[in-house]
Amino acid sequence: MQNLVILVGALFVLVAIVLVHRIFVLVGVVKGTDKKRITPANKWNAALMVVFLLVTLSISGYYSYVHFDEYTIPIASEHGALTDNLFWITMGVTGVVFIITQVLLFGFSFKYQHNEKKPAFYYPDNGKLEALWTIVPAIVLAALIISGLSTWHKVTGPAPENAEVIEILGYQFAWKVRYPGADGQLGKHDYRLIDADNMFGMDFSDKTAFDDFIPRELHIPVNRPVEFKIRARDVIHSVFIPQFRLKMDAVPGMPTRFHFTATKTTEEMRRELNDPKFNYELACNQICGRGHFAMKMNVVVDSEEDYEKWKAEQKSWLSKNPEYLSRIPEELKELALVKTGMDTEAEANENSL
Amino acid sequence: MSTLDTQTAAHVEDHAHDDHHEHHDNFWTKYIFSTDHKMIGKQFLVTGIFWAIIGGALSMIFRLQLGFPDMDLEWIRPILGNWITPQGKLDPEFYLALVTMHGTIMVFFVLTAGLSGTFSNYLIPLQIGARDMASGFMNMLSYWFFFLSGVVMLVSLFIETGPASAGWWNYPPLSALPQAVSGSGAGMTMWLVAMALFIVSSLLGSINYITTVINLRTAGMTLARLPLTIWSFFLTAIIGVLSFPVLLAAALLLIFDRGFGTAFYLSEIYIGGEALPQVGGSPILYQHLFWFLGHPEVYIVLLPALGITSEVISTNSRKPIFGYRAMIGSMLGITILSFVVWAHHMFVSGMNPFLGTIFTLLTLIIAVPSAVKVFNYLATLWRGNIVFTPATLFSIGLVSLFISGGLTGIFLGNSAIDIQLHDTYFVVAHFHLVMGSASFFGLMAGVYHWFPKMFGRMMDSRLGYVHFWLTFIGVYMVFFPMHYIGIAGFPRHYYSFTNFQAFSGFSDLNAFVSAAAIFTFVAQLIFLFNFFYSMYKGRRAPQNPWNSNTLEWTTPIEPGHGNWPGAIPAVYRWPYDYSKPNADKDGFEDFIPQTVPLSETPNSNLPFEKEQMEEVKQK
Ligand code: HEM
Ligand SMILES: [Cu+2]
Ligand SMILES: [Cu+2]
């Protein structure tokens, strides 16, 4: 049925085109314009140039103004303020150029439409003018480059010493995060050790891995530098959190990183947006297969206290997966029990017996 | 003539003999295995149009998904088969296949082969005054490699595991591992084979264009008298020759990684429950290689369109192109710079941030020659006497689109801003305006302008006007709103946006964009009708319908093999003597063709031309 509708529609369009064509031809022949080089259509086209300019400028201007709050999303990171600033400076500069050049383009097209009495002006060259419009853009661009690069350096420079390190792993089609635990160090990993449970391929011959924990959600503290260490397991993914203006590819075989400081807790953001259900989300920004559009992880920005509290509550991965204790070299077993807190648990168990 | 060196003079003589050969064409040699550049150009054009329809249709399907996610797509099952799920939805993997094939087809088959292939072939010999390309046989091969490439690509659309679906760039590991996405099985193999064939085609063509422009110019056709079209085709060919081999290398290494267990791009991968043996490869290496072609490629697509536009705008505003030398200079600048900006596609790929610094610098420099071109177009229109042919309209449209899309490049080129914008709809808006639409408009301008030469008949200009306005309004309605969606952070290559709060808005705008896309697509039927109808039934073309100065209009209305029945005319001036002061006193209207000697125009000669005449006399 639907196919029929489409077929009929297509037929209708075709017939319409043919009809319009016939009419054009006949009118042309009657008016004798069919062989003329300049027809009344010239005026129409010229006029439409101006109409087009005015209509599109007003619609886009109107939309940009009225929907401003919808398409600009709040900033929730320190560097985000800088890059957004650059964005709007660039918008200002290019906006002016956009309007001037488009107005001239359509304006000239209208104003200098064919006129028997006004021959064109033979004007092949003007060295000064050309120098002018080479040098001025060059200067403007130089200014944009300089401000851009200084921001780029701040964003991509080394993370501060005290940064909270969190590992993010992308795989088809989800994210996992790993925290270094109390020792502040992420344990080694090896992709050959990956299995259905040990998704990071944590290497338990490394003692710093014992207390690493892998929560369901990504928590980060507000107003404290955070450094993401980013990995991918299968294909390239890309870490993207829009409100943080944060994006970095996750590449198999090549760890990447991104450091930033969040400036608004989830709670604050909920209040600001007046949306009690608001959540920061981590999205995938690099085509990675079937589930690309659904690779989401919730991100929670906590106040300092909440964050520490949350962290303290997290159990190490090893303590949740005790069967992996067998992978630990004999001499480190003792340490593993201590670091994961399993020794006290074991004691408690013994005592209760 | 100071510029008429003996070598080219001899060459003119030489070719004059050719005409005494009789050409007995049968169907096969005339339409299929033709070595005539004009026929090959038309073959490229018609094939390009075919691919444009396919590529456009693919985009219609995914736009339906994006704009109307709840729509029941059961009705396309007859075409797509099991790619429509039992629930009547588009399969998410096939969505990726669609965007991948759309991108590949549009960039390579339509805007490279269909544009550059058509007009380089068609116009180079006609505008420089040559009988044919340097090697007609290689030229024929070039088309047939392209055709073969197309066949392979087309077949890949119909295989069970689907065509390549890792994005038009096909980054490994996604493109290397069939476990990762089913399109990376046989579909990707066919993609690679098709691209390899395409590269061969492109190289055969480009070498021919370069050789022809260098060697076969007619007497007096100095480099400084070449129409800007030829300059643009020439530089495009140079870019192609230098960059396409790198894509071939990238593809070869990928073939090895896929089939022979090498690890150029693969390292430390765990997929489908097993750890792959490859270590030490780098996915980033592929990205560098791909974009080393990928960025120049966008100029391969755009430069011919700019060349065509220069020609059309100058002719129809009845004014010389403003700053002819600056136009060449800026194209040269773009050519050179286009090779050193590729990594701006990789600011957040994980490459060393220091590279980001360098590539930001180089990228923003390329905006300068682009700006110069725009200003020169404006200056050409200024105080012109503009005749709005459909070609003029499309050229003016191109300039507008080039401005709109070029300016957003300045955001993206700035690495710090690109962090947020990379791979969002902002990028989609950028390149569809500046490359997709602008080059498409250049293609259209070229077809409308040279149709009379190609087929000896005129297209209906009124249908052309309607086609232009609907298309112009259409592409702005499709691509302008994408800026908002992109600023809001919507990532590209998303099958649907419902999984994220952050991307849950703008469903109305997405629906609008899809509706506009369908509208624009349907409007192209007007062109198709006009094109094929006029080919057989159009009004007969006069010899020089646009009162143009260039050489192709001195050939017979329907030029045969060898282009000029007699000797090839010599050239005495640049192609832009429009509305020259005092031309009327020499008995000319507002144009003086390139073939008119300076001695016939004593009144309108400029001081430097008078000097030239003096020199000749002294000799
Ligand atoms: C004014 C000068 C231009 C600058 C500074 C510029 C800059 C950029 C940058 C930085 C990107 C990468 C964005 C990203 O992926 O995050 C980009 C993408 C792109 N640009 Fe431009 N551009 C300019 C002009 C052009 C022109 C003239 C064309 C084509 C004719 C073009 C075609 C493209 C294409 C096709 C892409 C996207 C490729 C993809 O991701 O699929 N750009 N541009
Ligand atoms: Cu993804
Ligand atoms: Cu580029």
Side-chain angles (χ1 to χ4, degrees):
Chain A
M1 184 58 210
Q2 226 160 351
N3 281 350
L4 200 71
V5 174
I6 290 168
L7 213 70
V8 171
L11 219 67
F12 180 76
V13 172
L14 265 176
V15 171
I17 293 172
V18 175
L19 274 181
V20 169
H21 172 68
R22 289 308 308 162
I23 294 170
F24 278 160
V25 170
L26 292 178
V27 170
V29 170
V30 171
K31 284 196 179 165
T33 52
D34 58 330
K35 292 201 178 66
K36 284 211 190 106
R37 208 159 66 84
I38 320 280
T39 64
N42 218 58
K43 278 203 203 85
W44 280 102
N45 281 313
L48 278 172
M49 290 279 165
V50 177
V51 174
F52 179 83
L53 175 76
L54 295 179
V55 171
T56 46
L57 277 187
S58 4
I59 294 179
S60 57
Y62 173 82
Y63 193 93
S64 305
Y65 181 74
V66 170
H67 295 269
F68 187 80
D69 291 336
E70 280 165 59
Y71 62 84
T72 51
I73 44 179
I75 310 171
S77 72
E78 276 179 7
H79 76 271
L82 299 178
T83 57
D84 259 42
N85 195 23
L86 269 180
F87 177 91
W88 290 111
I89 290 173
T90 310
M91 186 66 89
V93 174
T94 55
V96 171
V97 178
F98 176 80
I99 295 196
I100 294 177
T101 47
Q102 300 279 13
V103 166
L104 290 182
L105 177 67
F106 293 108
F108 286 169
S109 301
F110 174 73
K111 178 139 189 248
Y112 300 109
Q113 60 180 288
H114 188 84
N115 182 339
E116 257 345 297
K117 293 184 209 89
K118 272 202 224 154
F121 174 43
Y122 187 85
Y123 191 57
D125 235 328
N126 182 330
K128 281 202 191 112
L129 259 183
E130 279 162 81
L132 181 76
W133 63 50
T134 310
I135 292 168
V136 170
I139 294 173
V140 174
L141 284 165
L144 289 175
I145 293 172
I146 291 168
S147 53
L149 288 184
S150 73
T151 309
W152 176 248
H153 279 284
K154 278 181 217 145
V155 179
T156 58
E161 290 284 313
N162 62 340
E164 186 78 6
V165 175
I166 303 169
E167 187 177 45
I168 302 187
L169 176 79
Y171 63 95
Q172 287 182 323
F173 294 99
W175 301 99
K176 281 268 165 208
V177 290
R178 178 165 73 127
Y179 288 69
D183 65 2
Q185 279 184 302
L186 285 165
K188 285 206 188 101
H189 59 80
D190 184 331
Y191 82 106
R192 277 163 298 209
L193 298 174
I194 297 175
D195 57 41
D197 297 315
N198 183 7
M199 302 188 70
F200 280 80
M202 282 187 283
D203 180 354
F204 292 108
S205 67
D206 176 18
K207 54 181 186 278
T208 57
F210 299 159
D211 59 353
D212 293 359
F213 65 86
I214 301 178
R216 277 174 184 282
E217 279 183 331
L218 172 58
H219 280 249
I220 58 170
V222 74
N223 294 330
R224 175 131 64 93
V226 172
E227 179 172 35
F228 285 158
K229 301 253 187 208
I230 302 165
R231 290 203 284 132
R233 219 171 67 173
D234 35 38
V235 300
I236 301 176
H237 304 274
S238 185
V239 172
F240 177 34
I241 308 176
Q243 294 85 355
F244 295 166
R245 310 295 191 261
L246 182 161
K247 190 173 291 157
M248 181 52 69
D249 280 6
V251 186
M254 192 189 88
T256 57
R257 42 173 295 279
F258 199 105
H259 74 83
F260 67 104
T261 306
T263 52
K264 288 175 196 161
T265 63
T266 300
E267 279 309 319
E268 283 166 343
M269 202 60 144
R270 285 180 180 169
R271 255 176 277 138
E272 180 182 322
L273 295 177
N274 210 357
D275 174 6
K277 292 208 209 84
F278 170 85
N279 269 317
Y280 292 105
E281 293 155 322
L282 163 56
C284 181
N285 197 62
Q286 177 66 263
I287 182 171
C288 60
R290 183 178 192 90
H292 170 51
F293 68 105
M295 258 180 86
K296 178 170 94 165
M297 177 176 252
N298 270 344
V299 180
V300 181
V301 183
D302 287 318
S303 66
E304 187 67 35
E305 308 91 73
D306 288 352
Y307 180 69
E308 290 304 334
K309 191 161 140 250
W310 173 81
K311 235 166 80 167
E313 285 165 4
Q314 301 304 311
K315 292 226 168 75
S316 70
W317 186 83
L318 203 51
S319 67
K320 290 190 191 164
N321 297 272
E323 63 276 18
Y324 282 81
L325 283 172
S326 61
R327 306 245 181 127
I328 298 175
E330 244 357 276
E331 69 276 15
L332 291 176
K333 279 233 161 95
E334 200 63 25
L335 182 66
L337 291 177
V338 175
K339 271 192 114 172
T340 54
M342 287 161 89
D343 56 340
T344 47
E345 266 171 46
E347 257 169 46
N349 282 348
E350 261 166 43
N351 290 348
S352 69
L353 275 179
Chain B
M1 275 303 297
S2 60
T3 42
L4 197 149
D5 58 76
T6 44
Q7 242 181 340
T8 38
H11 151 84
V12 172
E13 290 304 311
D14 230 33
H15 270 287
H17 293 297
D18 283 359
D19 297 304
H20 305 304
H21 299 294
E22 284 288 310
H23 287 284
H24 297 287
D25 283 329
N26 60 30
F27 175 81
W28 288 95
T29 56
K30 177 148 186 232
Y31 293 107
I32 309 293
F33 296 108
S34 172
T35 55
D36 181 352
H37 71 100
K38 297 186 292 299
M39 182 52 69
I40 295 175
K42 290 181 214 171
Q43 287 173 329
F44 270 105
L45 178 59
V46 173
T47 318
I49 290 175
F50 167 80
W51 278 111
I53 296 169
I54 303 273
L58 298 182
S59 73
M60 290 305 106
I61 303 175
F62 66 70
R63 261 332 305 185
L64 282 181
Q65 164 64 27
L66 289 170
F68 315 103
D70 300 325
M71 189 172 182
D72 183 2
L73 294 180
E74 199 54 47
W75 57 276
I76 357 185
R77 188 182 295 282
I79 306 172
L80 295 189
N82 287 336
W83 295 117
I84 300 292
T85 64
Q87 294 78 35
K89 293 274 172 280
L90 193 64
D91 182 87
E93 221 157 273
F94 196 65
Y95 171 84
L96 297 179
L98 287 172
V99 286
T100 302
M101 294 316 272
H102 167 74
T104 305
I105 288 170
M106 287 304 193
V107 171
F108 294 108
F109 289 5
V110 179
L111 294 179
T112 303
L115 175 59
S116 173
T118 301
F119 290 104
S120 299
N121 268 310
Y122 194 78
L123 289 181
I124 289 178
L126 284 174
Q127 286 198 331
I128 67 171
R131 299 276 175 210
D132 205 319
M133 282 286 174
S135 165
F137 179 70
M138 261 168 73
N139 211 17
M140 178 188 85
L141 276 187
S142 161
Y143 174 75
W144 286 105
F145 269 102
F146 165 53
F147 187 85
L148 214 61
S149 159
V151 169
V152 176
M153 199 64 93
L154 192 66
V155 170
S156 87
L157 281 170
F158 297 99
I159 60 178
E160 177 149 15
T161 47
S165 27
W168 79 280
W169 47 52
N170 277 305
Y171 287 170
L174 185 58
S175 61
L177 306 171
Q179 308 93 302
V181 65
S182 69
S184 291
M188 186 61 202
T189 305
M190 295 175 83
W191 190 90
L192 287 165
V193 170
M195 286 314 296
L197 291 170
F198 185 85
I199 293 167
V200 173
S201 153
S202 159
L203 290 178
L204 286 169
S206 297
I207 290 169
N208 232 333
Y209 309 150
I210 294 172
T211 319
T212 309
V213 172
I214 292 179
N215 286 328
L216 299 185
R217 282 169 288 131
T218 184
M221 183 60 92
T222 59
L223 290 181
R225 288 176 183 165
L226 282 180
L228 287 173
T229 35
I230 302 301
W231 270 105
S232 73
F233 302 149
F234 181 59
L235 294 172
T236 302
I238 293 178
I239 301 180
V241 165
L242 295 178
S243 64
F244 266 116
V246 179
L247 181 64
L248 189 61
L252 272 179
L253 299 189
L254 185 52
I255 289 173
F256 288 141
D257 270 11
R258 288 166 52 81
F260 305 107
T262 55
F264 293 106
Y265 306 132
L266 306 180
S267 185
E268 303 184 30
I269 291 169
Y270 176 92
I271 191 167
E274 75 173 318
L276 304 185
Q278 285 96 337
V279 286
S282 164
I284 302 284
L285 170 64
Y286 177 89
Q287 299 181 18
H288 280 296
L289 294 175
F290 180 85
W291 289 114
F292 191 88
L293 160 91
H295 185 83
E297 169 64 22
V298 305
Y299 286 99
I300 291 178
V301 163
L302 187 69
L303 279 182
L306 291 177
I308 289 171
T309 298
S310 305
E311 189 64 27
V312 171
I313 286 193
S314 169
T315 304
N316 290 311
S317 52
R318 314 307 297 158
K319 261 188 77 183
I321 191 81
F322 183 84
Y324 173 76
R325 273 162 203 278
M327 287 302 234
I328 297 171
S330 59
M331 284 199 280
L332 264 174
I334 288 175
T335 302
I336 295 165
L337 285 169
S338 74
F339 282 101
V340 291
V341 300
W342 77 88
H344 63 213
H345 297 273
M346 301 164 59
F347 286 136
V348 296
S349 66
M351 70 177 183
N352 189 327
F354 177 68
L355 282 180
T357 309
I358 303 295
F359 279 95
T360 292
L361 185 70
L362 293 165
T363 296
L364 292 193
I365 294 177
I366 212 171
V368 176
S370 310
V372 169
K373 291 201 80 85
V374 168
F375 292 132
N376 283 3
Y377 286 132
L378 294 179
T380 305
L381 290 170
W382 177 70
R383 294 187 65 184
N385 202 9
I386 304 168
V387 183
F388 290 106
T389 66
T392 323
L393 292 171
F394 274 100
S395 300
I396 291 171
L398 180 149
V399 178
S400 170
L401 294 161
F402 184 54
I403 296 171
S404 305
L407 287 174
T408 49
I410 295 171
F411 294 77
L412 299 170
N414 214 332
S415 51
I417 306 178
D418 189 53
I419 296 173
Q420 177 72 359
L421 296 177
H422 174 65
D423 270 2
T424 62
Y425 269 81
F426 195 86
V427 176
V428 180
H430 161 69
F431 71 78
H432 276 94
L433 286 176
V434 76
M435 177 176 79
S437 306
S439 302
F440 178 75
F441 273 49
L443 175 66
M444 283 299 139
V447 172
Y448 279 106
H449 195 75
W450 280 288
F451 189 91
K453 191 80 257 164
M454 289 182 174
F455 300 103
R457 291 172 185 272
M458 307 295 286
M459 285 176 84
D460 185 304
S461 53
R462 282 144 304 193
L463 281 183
Y465 302 144
V466 177
H467 173 223
F468 166 76
W469 283 109
L470 295 185
T471 310
F472 194 41
I473 294 166
V475 296
Y476 265 118
M477 288 199 302
V478 173
F479 299 117
F480 202 82
M482 289 188 187
H483 292 111
Y484 301 109
I485 302 176
I487 294 171
F490 284 46
R492 62 199 278 206
H493 294 144
Y494 267 36
Y495 169 75
S496 95
F497 289 105
T498 46
N499 290 289
F500 290 83
Q501 278 180 13
F503 313 137
S504 57
F506 288 116
S507 50
D508 49 348
L509 207 55
N510 262 323
F512 175 80
V513 166
S514 293
I518 294 167
F519 166 83
T520 315
F521 185 69
V522 172
Q524 303 315 303
L525 291 178
I526 301 174
F527 169 77
L528 287 180
F529 168 77
N530 200 355
F531 184 83
F532 289 107
Y533 179 87
S534 307
M535 206 187 274
Y536 299 102
K537 294 274 172 70
R539 184 163 59 81
R540 293 240 171 244
Q543 166 116 16
N544 188 356
W546 321 118
N547 290 351
S548 177
N549 285 338
T550 38
L551 275 184
E552 73 273 27
W553 305 108
T554 63
T555 61
I557 291 174
E558 289 186 76
H561 226 308
N563 297 340
W564 285 267
I568 301 181
V571 161
Y572 303 95
R573 59 181 73 234
W574 76 331
Y576 298 109
D577 271 343
Y578 291 108
S579 305
K580 210 173 182 186
N582 301 325
D584 49 342
K585 294 193 191 125
D586 295 323
F588 286 92
E589 293 173 52
D590 60 354
F591 67 110
I592 310 177
Q594 285 192 279
T595 48
V596 176
L598 294 179
S599 54
E600 286 179 25
T601 55
N603 294 303
S604 63
N605 284 346
L606 296 173
F608 84 92
E609 286 164 330
K610 288 184 179 139
E611 267 169 44
Q612 266 181 12
M613 298 237 315
E614 286 303 312
E615 271 172 43
V616 175
K617 263 187 216 150
Q618 276 161 16
K619 279 187 190 168

